[in-house]
Amino acid sequence: MGKLLQVAIDGPASAGKSTVAKLVAHKLNYIYCDTGAMYRAVTWAAIHDGIRLDDEKSLRVLLHSINIRFIPSATGQRVFVNKKEVTEEIRMPEISNNVSTVAAQVPVRKSLTDLQQEIANAGGIVMDGRDIGTTVLPDAEIKIFMVASVRERALRRYKENIEKGIQTPLEVLEQEIEERDRKDSTRTISPLSKAADAVQLDTTNLTIEQVVNKIMEIIEKKA
Ligand code: DC
């Protein structure tokens, strides 16, 4: 067996990161860590507790009082805040449209970055997010920056929503994606950006399988 690697997959919302990262982790028999789900779980907890989403002090208290856990399962990773399962609720539009605000707060980023680094220390890992290659795992052997057009990403989200019974017009999804890109890329702390040593992959016209194969090729070359 070769050396255990750290694989960092970053990129904007709905570029296909989590689907691809999950498959790559499965192929390598590595742990998969969805860092977006952590920011979503904190957002869920803040809304649940009625905390203002930009109130650093209250968020700091909240972070000390909650326990975010991930439990792998056959259908994907289940997310818990304390004893409450929030796997599905954290994907709802109310969370998607508020998570960028929470993710821009210093105590939240600090606390989740520490947690992510701890998880990565356990061994071979595929981690997806916005700042994995730049901030969380700057020494990762493999860094991928996945992009896709706004139209394509809105279409992907549209199809996912329909499957969940959520009806949001495509134009609205496009606007939401653009807004989230803007917030994620312009925040002062750890903004979404491509690490200098990351390989950029445009997935607009690629299937999931093609993207996974490209990443596996990059990994095999490195290993
Ligand atoms: O990947 P996602 O859509 O589930 O991420 C949700 C939000 O969390 C996204 O708008 C930005 C934020 N995020 C972040 O700031 N840093 C990360 N490493 C992962 C996600």
Side-chain angles (χ1 to χ4, degrees):
M1 199 172 82
K3 179 176 175 273
L4 292 176
L5 304 172
Q6 290 184 335
V7 182
I9 303 185
D10 289 301
S14 299
K17 300 182 300 289
S18 62
T19 309
V20 165
K22 230 178 272 172
L23 291 166
V24 170
H26 184 74
K27 276 186 190 279
L28 295 169
N29 204 14
Y30 279 10
I31 292 169
Y32 163 59
C33 178
D34 172 357
T35 63
M38 293 183 180
Y39 289 95
R40 287 171 181 272
V42 175
T43 306
W44 179 90
I47 292 175
H48 185 259
D49 285 9
I51 290 170
R52 258 200 24 227
L53 302 183
D54 59 352
D55 177 352
E56 286 202 358
K57 218 168 138 200
S58 303
L59 286 169
R60 197 173 284 127
V61 174
L62 175 78
L63 287 160
H64 281 117
S65 66
I66 56 169
N67 179 16
I68 300 173
R69 280 180 309 128
F70 292 98
I71 300 184
S73 86
T75 51
Q77 167 189 262
R78 297 170 69 196
V79 186
F80 290 80
V81 172
N82 299 329
K83 292 213 168 87
K84 160 100 176 130
E85 176 160 13
V86 295
T87 312
E88 275 157 31
E89 284 176 47
I90 62 167
R91 304 288 158 197
M92 300 305 274
E94 191 192 8
I95 305 295
S96 301
N97 295 333
N98 284 300
V99 60
S100 291
T101 306
V102 174
Q105 310 306 318
V106 175
V108 177
R109 295 215 75 83
K110 214 189 150 325
S111 158
L112 294 187
T113 299
D114 288 350
L115 183 59
Q116 289 152 14
Q117 288 172 339
E118 209 176 287
I119 294 171
N121 275 339
I125 185 131
V126 181
M127 189 172 274
D128 80 40
R130 302 293 189 285
D131 62 337
I132 311 307
T134 53
T135 307
V136 180
L137 305 176
D139 299 326
E141 290 85 356
I142 312 287
K143 294 184 187 180
I144 309 288
F145 195 75
M146 279 176 60
V147 295
S149 70
V150 171
R151 182 83 195 179
E152 175 63 24
R153 290 187 282 139
L155 262 173
R156 290 176 189 168
R157 186 122 308 180
Y158 183 79
K159 288 180 195 151
E160 276 169 26
N161 279 355
I162 294 288
E163 276 168 27
K164 289 187 223 155
I166 303 169
Q167 298 266 6
T168 313
L170 193 58
E171 294 68 35
V172 173
L173 293 176
E174 283 187 348
Q175 282 162 14
E176 285 174 2
I177 284 178
E178 277 177 339
E179 177 60 8
R180 201 130 70 89
D181 283 358
R182 192 189 60 72
K183 282 191 184 158
D184 291 343
S185 322
T186 56
R187 68 171 173 239
T188 11
I189 175 168
S190 302
L192 165 68
S193 78
K194 177 182 165 297
D197 51 350
V199 177
Q200 181 155 318
L201 267 184
D202 187 335
T203 72
T204 308
N205 298 307
L206 297 179
T207 63
I208 291 166
E209 196 190 358
Q210 286 171 323
V211 180
V212 171
N213 288 343
K214 274 184 188 281
I215 295 177
M216 290 306 293
E217 272 171 31
I218 295 169
I219 294 173
E220 275 151 25
K221 255 191 218 150
K222 256 277 159 50

